[in-house]
């Protein structure tokens, strides 16, 4: 069996990663993986069990305790906790505020990288996150980095009914010591401030198809 293809989509918060990753995955028939949801699931678990997200030892101990399973349903990968998918809960303001603290802990990043690499058991992937092209699948040649102006990103979050401090989260994600958010070497950078999701995903798809055609 050929090695599965991994399309890495990284970028800042509210830069359109999820929307575009889903559009690209659907167009190619690949499986979609939202790695931010996996970090959010851990933050949710910590909040629910009274684990201090600012305490790396406590969070690392929680990682040893929780019982998780990776599943693929309808073309999306989910990290279940005790068989439960906290899809709605992980979008709360509390989880959004806590997540970049747990994501900065080195043991958490090692755990997540291993799980995220295990996703190739499900086939070809479109994986979105902050460190996919730099750290999780650095070997892939399909790397995309999305960004948009701070004003545009704030507008998108507000349209979703979500109020959050994007600048704070981006700063924490970019300045952490382990696997910080950065443009992967060789990535195609797309600023989509003035593009629709259809236009952005078309740019990504054209590039992927061109590269795949070169391999044939
Ligand atoms: O994409 P998102 O907003 O759901 O991501 C939630 C947080 O998880 C984000 O603030 C940073 C962290 N994250 C990360 O550090 N590495 C990833 N690959 C994905 C997300």
């Amino acid at each position: 069996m050929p090695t599965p293809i991994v399309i890495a989509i990284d970028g800042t918060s509210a830069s359109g990663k999820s929307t575009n990753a889903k559009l690209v995955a659907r167009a190619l028939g690949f499986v979609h993986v939202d790695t931010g949801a996996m970090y959010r699931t851990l933050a949710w678990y910590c909040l629910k069990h009274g684990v201090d997200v600012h305490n790396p030892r406590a969070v690392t101990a929680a990682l040893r305790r929780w019982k998780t399973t990776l599943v693929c349903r309808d073309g999306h990968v989910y990290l279940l906790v005790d068989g439960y998918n906290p899809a709605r809960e992980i979008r709360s303001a509390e989880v959004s505020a806590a997540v970049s603290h747990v994501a900065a802990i080195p043991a958490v990043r090692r755990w997540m990288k291993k799980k995220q690499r295990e996703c190739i058991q499900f086939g070809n992937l479109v994986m979105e996150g902050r460190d996919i092209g730099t750290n999780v699948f650095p070997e892939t040649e399909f790397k995309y980095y999305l960004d948009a102006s701070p004003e545009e990103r704030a507008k998108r979050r507000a349209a979703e009914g979500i109020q959050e401090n994007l600048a704070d989260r981006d700063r924490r994600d970019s300045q952490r010591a382990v696997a910080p958010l950065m443009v992967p070497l060789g990535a195609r950078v797309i600023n989509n401030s003035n593009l629709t999701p259809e236009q952005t995903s078309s740019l990504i798809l054209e590039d992927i198809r061109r590269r795949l055609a070169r391999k044939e």
Side-chain angles (χ1 to χ4, degrees):
M1 213 175 69
T3 317
I5 297 168
V6 177
I7 313 290
I9 301 187
D10 291 301
T12 48
S13 302
S15 60
K17 294 186 300 295
S18 279
T19 308
N20 286 291
K22 286 177 194 157
L23 286 170
V24 169
R26 192 169 332 130
L28 296 172
F30 287 14
V31 168
H32 167 245
V33 190
D34 175 357
T35 61
M38 296 170 72
Y39 286 94
R40 284 172 179 272
T41 299
L42 177 60
W44 164 78
Y45 178 90
C46 289
L47 295 175
K48 187 162 140 37
H49 291 88
V51 175
D52 178 4
V53 294
H54 299 279
N55 180 341
R57 272 168 177 260
V59 175
T60 306
L63 268 182
R64 276 187 237 110
R65 270 198 315 272
W66 72 342
K67 301 268 177 297
T68 62
T69 358
L70 271 183
V71 295
C72 182
R73 291 179 181 158
D74 299 328
H76 302 273
V77 172
Y78 300 100
L79 183 69
L80 307 185
V81 184
D82 293 323
Y84 178 68
N85 178 13
R88 195 177 41 81
E89 294 90 326
I90 63 172
R91 303 295 159 192
S92 72
E94 292 75 20
V95 168
S96 294
V99 62
S100 50
H101 298 291
V102 303
I105 300 171
V108 168
R109 301 212 70 86
R110 282 194 296 277
W111 192 96
M112 291 289 171
K113 177 176 176 177
K114 184 165 169 285
K115 279 287 156 204
Q116 289 159 11
R117 287 192 67 93
E118 284 173 17
C119 291
I120 55 168
Q121 68 185 285
F122 302 119
N124 296 327
L125 305 175
V126 177
M127 184 173 277
E128 52 160 305
R130 302 291 191 295
D131 65 337
I132 311 308
T134 52
N135 182 46
V136 181
F137 284 104
E139 69 271 35
T140 183
E141 67 169 281
F142 300 95
K143 300 183 187 188
Y144 302 90
Y145 184 92
L146 304 187
D147 204 355
S149 68
E151 298 74 32
E152 176 60 26
R153 294 190 290 118
K155 226 192 292 169
R156 290 175 190 170
R157 273 294 189 263
E160 292 168 0
I162 301 170
Q163 291 299 332
E164 72 160 320
N165 193 329
L166 290 177
D168 264 9
R169 197 140 69 88
D170 284 343
R171 187 176 33 74
R172 285 202 294 268
D173 290 340
S174 307
Q175 292 182 354
R176 65 174 173 241
V178 188
L181 169 66
M182 61 166 108
V183 179
L185 205 64
R188 173 141 191 218
V189 178
I190 301 173
N191 185 312
N192 58 28
S193 299
N194 298 309
L195 301 179
T196 64
E198 287 66 32
Q199 289 170 322
T200 306
S201 59
S202 294
L203 287 177
I204 298 173
L205 282 165
E206 277 165 25
D207 190 75
I208 294 170
R209 290 187 172 125
R210 206 171 29 241
R211 285 171 191 271
L212 288 174
R214 254 192 259 139
K215 285 175 181 288
E216 284 169 5

